[in-house]
Amino acid sequence: MHDQRKTLLILGSMDEFALLVQRAKERGCRVLVADGYEHGPARAFADASFTIPVTDTEALANLCHDEDVDALITSFSDVLFEEGCRVAHAAGLPAPCSLDKLEFLRNKQLMKNMFDQLGVPYPNSCVAPLDQVERACESLRFPCVIKPVDAYGSYGVRVVRTAAEAIESAASVAEESRRANSVVLEEYDDGHEFNMITWASHGRVFPVSVADREKTACTFEDLPHVSRIVYPSRFTDEVLSDALAYAQRIVEFAGIEHGPLCMQFFWSPDSGIHVCEVTGRVFGYEHELLEYASGLSVEDLLLDTALDHDALARRLEAHDARCMPNRSCGLYFHARDGIVASLEAAQAALQGPCVQEALLYYAEGQTVKNARGGQPYAARAFLAAKSYDELDTASARMFESFSIADPDGKDLAVPNRLPSACRASQASETTAKEQPVS
């Protein structure tokens, strides 16, 4: 007997896909999971799973035909977004982005060309061949960020404070790229930094969230690390209208009718918005924060995009990115290379008020290795509260108490700090509480 259920192929089996698989099954779908991770946790919830590398377009397209797949869903990483587009086109399934525009959402040089064409402001930058880095530095104000032309995430990205540092770093940075003969040089923007999720429905962009992307700088790091992401941003009202207008231009250029467009950008009252990057997938390791803050689920948006465009439109129209009932944040703990001897303090720090989820990426006796293919963090925690003050207090406590001991008793944990504005707010609140009541 022919199965009358809609068949979905979810490209990705790691932990972030487990809830997506479960919610797809709750909607009555037959769910297939495929990627190269044989023991991915999302496989346990699927009707069937297949161990096929996401880069094997032909094999995955054949799977779609053999299994009568109705729609393909993926997200949370640039690789999955790109390969998912290629597989969908090869299999004749709906795809979020046309193949001829896909590189504009990945290649830094093409992305900046798109921004120029659309009038989207971005930090002063250039793409320089390795033999022209010195000349390129003459037109830039330091410090700068130097990064690969088309690598994923923050691999190879570092801050350079002089032209000499840029020249010295260029070759090793370029090696992270598929095109190892050029690098991107970009003036360092010290404005507030944001992650924004928007979603297209019938070609119209809707705001889903603006989040504060907070970093901590350490003297021994090449680049300040992300230490906290806060939903919704304290500056949502100041930035949303302009950022949304830029997102609409990009969606129209890329031909995205239904699906996410996410943006990282900087803003300050004096210079306005400078867009850093855009992508056609949802941010990984933080999308859960949207549901804690607003009740809106990224999983539901992804499923509506694949299964029911009218439901997607209704859900987006009912959502208000400017007014969320709760505040939430993700805390991201990093560690230096070394052997983990004790996690007692880390485990204690990850408990307490406001904590909704917490995850340690290492066990005692394991070795921390900050290299490509390693763990993304030492630990992460998701918090939710009714106010920013409550969230800040809980975050500060966890930052101060988190540590990982190596066999010599030294702390492997990289320090995290709240931004100065949050610390000042905490101090003001504490002072007010200490004032005598007249």
Coordinates of all heavy atoms in Angstrom, one line a residue, residues 104-182:
F104 N 26.8 34.4 -4.1 CA 26.7 35.8 -3.6 C 26.4 35.7 -2.1 O 26.7 36.7 -1.4 CB 25.6 36.6 -4.3 CG 25.9 37.0 -5.7 CD1 25.6 36.2 -6.7 CD2 26.5 38.2 -5.9 CE1 25.9 36.6 -8.0 CE2 26.8 38.6 -7.2 CZ 26.5 37.8 -8.3
L105 N 25.9 34.6 -1.6 CA 25.7 34.4 -0.1 C 26.8 33.7 0.5 O 26.7 33.3 1.7 CB 24.4 33.7 0.1 CG 23.1 34.3 -0.5 CD1 21.9 33.5 -0.3 CD2 22.9 35.7 0.0
R106 N 27.9 33.5 -0.2 CA 29.0 32.8 0.4 C 30.4 33.5 0.1 O 31.1 33.7 1.1 CB 29.1 31.4 -0.2 CG 30.4 30.6 -0.1 CD 30.7 30.2 1.3 NE 32.0 29.5 1.4 CZ 32.3 28.3 1.0 NH1 31.3 27.6 0.6 NH2 33.5 27.8 1.1
N107 N 30.6 33.8 -1.1 CA 31.9 34.4 -1.5 C 31.9 35.9 -1.1 O 31.1 36.7 -1.5 CB 32.1 34.3 -3.0 CG 33.4 34.8 -3.5 OD1 33.6 36.1 -3.5 ND2 34.3 34.0 -3.8
K108 N 32.9 36.2 -0.2 CA 33.0 37.6 0.3 C 33.1 38.7 -0.7 O 32.5 39.7 -0.6 CB 34.1 37.7 1.3 CG 34.1 36.6 2.4 CD 33.0 36.8 3.4 CE 33.1 35.9 4.6 NZ 33.2 34.5 4.4
Q109 N 33.8 38.4 -1.8 CA 34.0 39.4 -2.8 C 32.7 39.6 -3.6 O 32.3 40.8 -3.8 CB 35.1 39.0 -3.8 CG 35.4 40.1 -4.8 CD 36.6 39.7 -5.7 OE1 37.2 38.6 -5.6 NE2 37.1 40.7 -6.4
L110 N 32.0 38.5 -4.0 CA 30.8 38.6 -4.6 C 29.7 39.3 -3.8 O 28.8 40.0 -4.2 CB 30.3 37.3 -5.1 CG 31.1 36.6 -6.3 CD1 30.6 35.2 -6.6 CD2 31.1 37.5 -7.5
M111 N 29.8 38.9 -2.5 CA 28.8 39.5 -1.5 C 28.9 41.0 -1.5 O 27.9 41.8 -1.5 CB 29.0 38.9 -0.1 CG 27.9 39.3 0.9 SD 28.1 38.5 2.5 CE 28.0 36.7 2.1
K112 N 30.2 41.5 -1.4 CA 30.4 43.0 -1.4 C 30.0 43.6 -2.7 O 29.4 44.7 -2.7 CB 31.9 43.3 -1.1 CG 32.4 42.8 0.3 CD 31.6 43.4 1.4 CE 32.3 43.1 2.8 NZ 32.2 41.7 3.2
N113 N 30.2 42.9 -3.8 CA 29.7 43.4 -5.1 C 28.2 43.6 -5.1 O 27.6 44.5 -5.6 CB 30.1 42.5 -6.2 CG 31.6 42.5 -6.5 OD1 32.3 43.4 -6.0 ND2 32.1 41.5 -7.2
M114 N 27.5 42.6 -4.5 CA 26.0 42.6 -4.4 C 25.6 43.8 -3.5 O 24.7 44.5 -3.8 CB 25.5 41.3 -3.8 CG 24.0 41.3 -3.4 SD 23.5 39.7 -2.7 CE 24.3 39.7 -1.1
F115 N 26.3 44.0 -2.4 CA 26.0 45.1 -1.5 C 26.2 46.4 -2.2 O 25.3 47.3 -2.1 CB 26.9 45.1 -0.3 CG 26.7 44.0 0.7 CD1 27.6 43.7 1.7 CD2 25.5 43.2 0.7 CE1 27.4 42.7 2.6 CE2 25.3 42.2 1.6 CZ 26.2 41.9 2.5
D116 N 27.2 46.6 -3.0 CA 27.4 47.8 -3.8 C 26.2 48.0 -4.8 O 25.7 49.1 -4.9 CB 28.7 47.7 -4.6 CG 29.9 48.0 -3.7 OD1 29.8 48.7 -2.7 OD2 31.0 47.4 -4.1
Q117 N 25.9 47.0 -5.4 CA 24.8 47.1 -6.4 C 23.4 47.4 -5.8 O 22.6 48.2 -6.3 CB 24.6 45.7 -7.2 CG 23.6 45.7 -8.2 CD 23.5 44.4 -9.0 OE1 24.5 43.7 -9.0 NE2 22.4 44.1 -9.5
L118 N 23.2 47.0 -4.5 CA 21.9 47.2 -3.8 C 21.9 48.4 -2.9 O 20.9 48.7 -2.3 CB 21.6 45.9 -3.1 CG 21.4 44.6 -3.9 CD1 21.1 43.4 -2.9 CD2 20.3 44.8 -4.9
G119 N 23.1 49.0 -2.8 CA 23.2 50.2 -1.8 C 23.1 49.7 -0.4 O 22.6 50.5 0.5
V120 N 23.7 48.6 -0.1 CA 23.7 48.1 1.3 C 25.1 48.5 1.9 O 26.1 48.1 1.4 CB 23.6 46.5 1.4 CG1 23.8 46.0 2.8 CG2 22.2 46.1 0.8
P121 N 25.1 49.3 3.0 CA 26.4 49.7 3.5 C 27.1 48.6 4.3 O 26.5 47.7 4.9 CB 26.0 50.8 4.5 CG 24.6 50.5 4.9 CD 24.0 49.8 3.7
Y122 N 28.5 48.6 4.2 CA 29.3 47.6 4.8 C 30.6 48.2 5.2 O 31.0 49.3 4.7 CB 29.5 46.4 3.9 CG 30.1 46.7 2.6 CD1 31.5 46.7 2.4 CD2 29.4 46.9 1.5 CE1 32.1 46.9 1.2 CE2 30.0 47.2 0.2 CZ 31.3 47.2 0.1 OH 31.9 47.5 -1.1
P123 N 31.3 47.6 6.2 CA 32.6 48.2 6.6 C 33.6 48.3 5.4 O 33.6 47.5 4.5 CB 33.1 47.2 7.6 CG 31.9 46.5 8.1 CD 31.0 46.4 6.9
N124 N 34.4 49.4 5.4 CA 35.4 49.6 4.4 C 36.3 48.3 4.3 O 36.9 47.9 5.2 CB 36.2 50.8 4.7 CG 37.1 51.1 3.5 OD1 36.9 50.8 2.4 ND2 38.3 51.8 3.9
S125 N 36.3 47.8 3.1 CA 37.1 46.5 2.9 C 37.5 46.4 1.5 O 37.1 47.1 0.6 CB 36.2 45.3 3.3 OG 35.1 45.2 2.4
C126 N 38.4 45.4 1.3 CA 38.8 45.0 -0.1 C 39.3 43.6 -0.1 O 39.6 43.0 0.9 CB 40.0 46.0 -0.6 SG 41.5 45.8 0.4
V127 N 39.3 43.0 -1.3 CA 39.8 41.7 -1.5 C 41.2 41.9 -2.2 O 41.3 42.5 -3.3 CB 38.9 40.8 -2.4 CG1 39.6 39.5 -2.7 CG2 37.6 40.6 -1.7
A128 N 42.2 41.3 -1.6 CA 43.6 41.6 -2.1 C 44.3 40.3 -2.4 O 44.4 39.4 -1.5 CB 44.4 42.3 -1.0
P129 N 44.8 40.1 -3.6 CA 45.7 39.0 -3.9 C 46.9 39.1 -2.9 O 47.3 40.1 -2.5 CB 46.2 39.2 -5.3 CG 45.1 40.1 -5.9 CD 44.6 41.0 -4.8
L130 N 47.5 37.9 -2.7 CA 48.6 37.8 -1.7 C 49.7 38.8 -2.0 O 50.4 39.3 -1.1 CB 49.1 36.4 -1.5 CG 48.1 35.4 -0.9 CD1 48.7 34.0 -0.8 CD2 47.6 35.9 0.5
D131 N 50.0 39.0 -3.3 CA 51.1 39.8 -3.6 C 50.8 41.3 -3.7 O 51.6 42.1 -4.0 CB 51.7 39.4 -5.0 CG 50.7 39.5 -6.1 OD1 49.5 39.9 -5.9 OD2 51.1 39.2 -7.3
Q132 N 49.5 41.6 -3.3 CA 49.1 43.0 -3.2 C 48.6 43.5 -1.9 O 48.0 44.5 -1.8 CB 48.1 43.3 -4.3 CG 48.6 43.1 -5.7 CD 47.5 43.4 -6.8 OE1 46.7 44.2 -6.6 NE2 47.6 42.7 -7.9
V133 N 48.8 42.7 -0.9 CA 48.3 43.0 0.5 C 48.9 44.3 1.0 O 48.2 45.1 1.6 CB 48.6 41.8 1.5 CG1 48.3 42.2 2.9 CG2 47.7 40.6 1.1
E134 N 50.2 44.5 0.8 CA 50.9 45.7 1.3 C 50.3 46.9 0.7 O 50.0 47.9 1.4 CB 52.4 45.6 1.0 CG 53.1 46.8 1.5 CD 54.6 46.7 1.3 OE1 55.1 45.7 0.7 OE2 55.4 47.5 1.9
R135 N 50.0 46.9 -0.6 CA 49.4 48.0 -1.3 C 48.0 48.3 -0.8 O 47.6 49.4 -0.6 CB 49.4 47.8 -2.8 CG 48.9 49.0 -3.6 CD 49.0 48.7 -5.1 NE 48.4 49.8 -5.9 CZ 48.4 49.8 -7.2 NH1 48.9 48.8 -7.9 NH2 47.8 50.8 -7.9
A136 N 47.2 47.2 -0.6 CA 45.8 47.3 -0.2 C 45.8 48.0 1.2 O 44.8 48.7 1.5 CB 45.2 45.9 -0.1
C137 N 46.8 47.7 2.0 CA 46.7 48.3 3.4 C 46.8 49.8 3.4 O 46.4 50.4 4.4 CB 47.9 47.7 4.2 SG 47.7 46.0 4.7
E138 N 47.4 50.4 2.3 CA 47.5 51.8 2.3 C 46.2 52.6 2.3 O 46.1 53.7 2.7 CB 48.3 52.2 1.0 CG 49.7 51.7 1.0 CD 50.4 51.9 -0.3 OE1 49.8 52.5 -1.2 OE2 51.6 51.5 -0.5
S139 N 45.1 51.9 1.9 CA 43.8 52.5 1.8 C 42.9 52.2 3.0 O 41.7 52.6 3.0 CB 43.1 52.2 0.5 OG 42.9 50.8 0.4
L140 N 43.4 51.5 4.0 CA 42.6 51.0 5.1 C 43.1 51.7 6.4 O 44.3 52.0 6.6 CB 42.7 49.5 5.2 CG 42.1 48.7 4.0 CD1 42.5 47.2 4.2 CD2 40.6 48.9 3.9
R141 N 42.1 51.8 7.3 CA 42.4 52.3 8.7 C 42.5 51.1 9.6 O 41.6 50.2 9.7 CB 41.3 53.2 9.1 CG 41.4 53.7 10.5 CD 40.2 54.7 10.9 NE 38.9 54.1 10.5 CZ 38.3 53.2 11.3 NH1 38.8 52.9 12.5 NH2 37.1 52.7 11.0
F142 N 43.6 51.0 10.3 CA 43.8 49.9 11.3 C 43.3 50.3 12.7 O 43.3 51.4 13.0 CB 45.3 49.5 11.3 CG 45.7 48.7 10.1 CD1 46.1 49.4 8.9 CD2 45.7 47.4 10.1 CE1 46.5 48.7 7.8 CE2 46.1 46.6 9.0 CZ 46.5 47.3 7.8
P143 N 42.9 49.2 13.5 CA 43.0 47.8 13.2 C 42.0 47.3 12.1 O 41.0 47.9 11.8 CB 42.7 47.1 14.6 CG 41.8 48.1 15.2 CD 42.3 49.5 14.8
C144 N 42.4 46.1 11.5 CA 41.6 45.5 10.5 C 41.3 44.1 10.9 O 42.0 43.5 11.7 CB 42.2 45.6 9.1 SG 42.2 47.2 8.3
V145 N 40.3 43.5 10.2 CA 40.1 42.1 10.3 C 40.5 41.5 9.0 O 40.2 42.0 7.9 CB 38.6 41.7 10.5 CG1 38.3 40.2 10.5 CG2 38.1 42.3 11.8
I146 N 41.3 40.4 9.0 CA 41.7 39.7 7.8 C 41.1 38.3 7.8 O 41.1 37.7 8.9 CB 43.3 39.6 7.7 CG1 43.7 39.0 6.4 CG2 43.9 38.9 8.9 CD1 45.2 39.1 6.2
K147 N 40.5 38.0 6.7 CA 39.8 36.7 6.7 C 39.8 36.0 5.3 O 40.1 36.7 4.3 CB 38.3 36.9 7.1 CG 37.6 38.0 6.4 CD 36.2 38.2 7.1 CE 35.6 39.5 6.9 NZ 34.3 39.7 7.6
P148 N 39.6 34.7 5.2 CA 39.6 34.0 3.9 C 38.4 34.6 3.0 O 37.4 35.1 3.6 CB 39.4 32.6 4.3 CG 39.7 32.5 5.7 CD 39.4 33.8 6.3
V149 N 38.6 34.4 1.7 CA 37.5 34.9 0.8 C 36.2 34.1 1.0 O 35.2 34.7 0.9 CB 38.0 34.8 -0.6 CG1 36.9 35.1 -1.6 CG2 39.2 35.8 -0.8
D150 N 36.3 32.8 1.2 CA 35.1 32.0 1.2 C 35.1 30.9 2.2 O 34.4 29.9 2.0 CB 34.8 31.4 -0.2 CG 36.0 30.5 -0.7 OD1 36.9 30.4 0.1 OD2 35.9 30.0 -1.8
A151 N 35.8 31.0 3.3 CA 35.7 30.0 4.3 C 34.5 30.1 5.2 O 33.8 31.1 5.1 CB 37.0 30.0 5.2
Y152 N 34.2 29.0 5.9 CA 33.0 29.0 6.8 C 33.3 29.5 8.2 O 34.5 29.4 8.7 CB 32.5 27.6 6.9 CG 32.0 27.0 5.6 CD1 32.8 26.0 5.0 CD2 30.9 27.4 5.0 CE1 32.4 25.4 3.8 CE2 30.4 26.8 3.8 CZ 31.2 25.9 3.2 OH 30.8 25.3 2.0
G153 N 32.3 30.1 8.9 CA 32.5 30.5 10.3 C 33.6 31.5 10.4 O 33.8 32.4 9.6
S154 N 34.4 31.3 11.5 CA 35.5 32.2 11.8 C 36.8 31.6 11.6 O 37.8 32.1 12.1 CB 35.3 32.6 13.3 OG 34.2 33.4 13.5
Y155 N 36.8 30.5 10.8 CA 38.1 29.8 10.6 C 39.1 30.8 9.8 O 38.7 31.3 8.8 CB 37.9 28.6 9.7 CG 37.3 27.4 10.5 CD1 36.0 27.0 10.2 CD2 38.0 26.9 11.6 CE1 35.5 25.9 11.0 CE2 37.4 25.9 12.3 CZ 36.2 25.4 12.0 OH 35.6 24.4 12.7
G156 N 40.3 31.0 10.4 CA 41.2 31.8 9.7 C 41.1 33.3 9.9 O 42.0 34.1 9.5
V157 N 40.0 33.7 10.6 CA 39.8 35.2 10.8 C 40.6 35.7 12.0 O 40.6 35.0 13.0 CB 38.3 35.4 11.0 CG1 38.0 36.9 11.2 CG2 37.4 34.9 9.9
R158 N 41.2 36.8 11.9 CA 41.9 37.4 13.0 C 42.0 38.9 12.8 O 41.8 39.5 11.8 CB 43.4 36.8 13.0 CG 44.2 37.1 11.8 CD 45.5 36.3 11.8 NE 45.3 34.9 11.7 CZ 46.2 34.0 11.6 NH1 47.5 34.4 11.7 NH2 45.9 32.7 11.5
V159 N 42.3 39.6 13.9 CA 42.4 41.0 14.0 C 43.9 41.3 13.8 O 44.8 40.7 14.4 CB 41.9 41.6 15.3 CG1 42.2 43.1 15.3 CG2 40.4 41.4 15.4
V160 N 44.2 42.3 12.9 CA 45.6 42.7 12.7 C 45.6 44.2 13.0 O 44.7 45.0 12.6 CB 46.1 42.4 11.3 CG1 46.4 40.9 11.1 CG2 45.2 42.9 10.2
R161 N 46.7 44.7 13.7 CA 46.7 46.1 14.1 C 47.6 46.9 13.3 O 47.6 48.1 13.5 CB 47.1 46.1 15.6 CG 46.0 45.5 16.5 CD 46.5 45.1 17.9 NE 45.4 44.6 18.7 CZ 44.9 43.4 18.6 NH1 45.4 42.6 17.7 NH2 43.8 43.1 19.3
T162 N 48.4 46.3 12.4 CA 49.3 47.1 11.6 C 49.4 46.4 10.2 O 49.0 45.2 10.0 CB 50.7 47.1 12.1 OG1 51.3 45.8 12.2 CG2 50.7 47.7 13.5
A163 N 49.9 47.2 9.2 CA 50.1 46.6 7.9 C 51.1 45.4 7.9 O 50.9 44.4 7.2 CB 50.6 47.7 6.9
A164 N 52.1 45.5 8.8 CA 53.1 44.5 8.9 C 52.4 43.2 9.4 O 52.7 42.1 8.8 CB 54.2 44.9 9.8
E165 N 51.5 43.3 10.3 CA 50.8 42.1 10.8 C 49.9 41.5 9.7 O 49.8 40.3 9.6 CB 49.9 42.4 12.0 CG 50.7 42.7 13.3 CD 49.8 42.9 14.5 OE1 48.6 42.4 14.4 OE2 50.2 43.5 15.5
A166 N 49.3 42.3 8.9 CA 48.4 41.9 7.8 C 49.3 41.1 6.8 O 48.9 40.0 6.3 CB 47.7 43.0 7.2
I167 N 50.4 41.7 6.4 CA 51.3 41.0 5.4 C 51.8 39.7 6.0 O 51.8 38.7 5.2 CB 52.5 41.9 5.1 CG1 51.9 43.2 4.4 CG2 53.5 41.2 4.2 CD1 52.9 44.3 4.3
E168 N 52.2 39.6 7.2 CA 52.7 38.4 7.8 C 51.6 37.3 7.9 O 51.9 36.1 7.8 CB 53.2 38.7 9.2 CG 53.8 37.5 10.0 CD 54.3 37.9 11.4 OE1 54.3 39.1 11.7 OE2 54.8 37.0 12.1
S169 N 50.3 37.7 8.1 CA 49.3 36.7 8.4 C 48.6 36.3 7.1 O 47.9 35.2 7.1 CB 48.2 37.4 9.2 OG 48.7 37.8 10.5
A170 N 48.8 37.0 6.0 CA 48.0 36.8 4.8 C 48.0 35.4 4.2 O 47.0 34.8 3.9 CB 48.4 37.8 3.7
A171 N 49.2 34.8 4.1 CA 49.3 33.5 3.5 C 48.6 32.4 4.3 O 47.9 31.6 3.8 CB 50.8 33.1 3.3
S172 N 48.8 32.4 5.6 CA 48.1 31.4 6.5 C 46.6 31.6 6.5 O 45.8 30.6 6.5 CB 48.7 31.4 7.9 OG 48.4 32.7 8.5
V173 N 46.1 32.8 6.4 CA 44.7 33.1 6.4 C 44.1 32.6 5.0 O 43.0 31.9 5.0 CB 44.4 34.6 6.5 CG1 42.9 34.9 6.2 CG2 44.7 35.0 7.9
A174 N 44.8 32.8 3.9 CA 44.3 32.4 2.6 C 44.2 30.9 2.5 O 43.4 30.4 1.7 CB 45.3 32.9 1.5
E175 N 45.0 30.2 3.2 CA 45.0 28.7 3.2 C 43.6 28.1 3.6 O 43.3 27.0 3.3 CB 46.1 28.1 4.0 CG 47.5 28.3 3.4 CD 48.6 27.8 4.2 OE1 48.3 27.3 5.4 OE2 49.8 27.9 3.8
E176 N 42.9 28.9 4.4 CA 41.5 28.4 4.8 C 40.5 28.5 3.7 O 39.4 28.1 3.9 CB 41.1 29.3 6.0 CG 41.9 29.1 7.3 CD 41.8 27.8 8.0 OE1 40.8 27.1 7.6 OE2 42.6 27.4 8.8
S177 N 40.8 29.1 2.6 CA 39.9 29.4 1.5 C 40.1 28.3 0.4 O 41.1 27.7 0.2 CB 40.1 30.8 1.0 OG 39.4 31.0 -0.2
R178 N 39.0 28.2 -0.4 CA 39.1 27.3 -1.6 C 40.0 28.0 -2.6 O 40.5 27.4 -3.5 CB 37.7 27.1 -2.1 CG 36.8 26.2 -1.3 CD 35.5 26.0 -1.9 NE 34.7 27.2 -2.1 CZ 33.5 27.3 -2.6 NH1 32.9 26.2 -3.1 NH2 32.9 28.4 -2.8
R179 N 40.0 29.3 -2.5 CA 40.9 30.1 -3.5 C 42.0 30.7 -2.7 O 41.9 31.8 -2.1 CB 40.0 31.2 -4.1 CG 38.8 30.7 -4.9 CD 37.9 31.8 -5.3 NE 36.8 31.4 -6.0 CZ 35.6 31.0 -5.5 NH1 35.6 31.0 -4.1 NH2 34.6 30.6 -6.2
A180 N 43.1 30.0 -2.6 CA 44.2 30.3 -1.6 C 45.1 31.4 -2.1 O 46.3 31.3 -1.9 CB 44.9 29.1 -1.2
N181 N 44.6 32.3 -3.0 CA 45.5 33.3 -3.5 C 45.1 34.8 -3.1 O 45.7 35.7 -3.6 CB 45.6 33.2 -5.0 CG 44.3 33.4 -5.7 OD1 43.3 33.4 -5.0 ND2 44.3 33.6 -7.0
S182 N 44.0 34.9 -2.3 CA 43.5 36.2 -1.9 C 43.0 36.2 -0.5 O 42.7 35.1 0.0 CB 42.4 36.7 -2.9 OG 42.8 36.8 -4.2

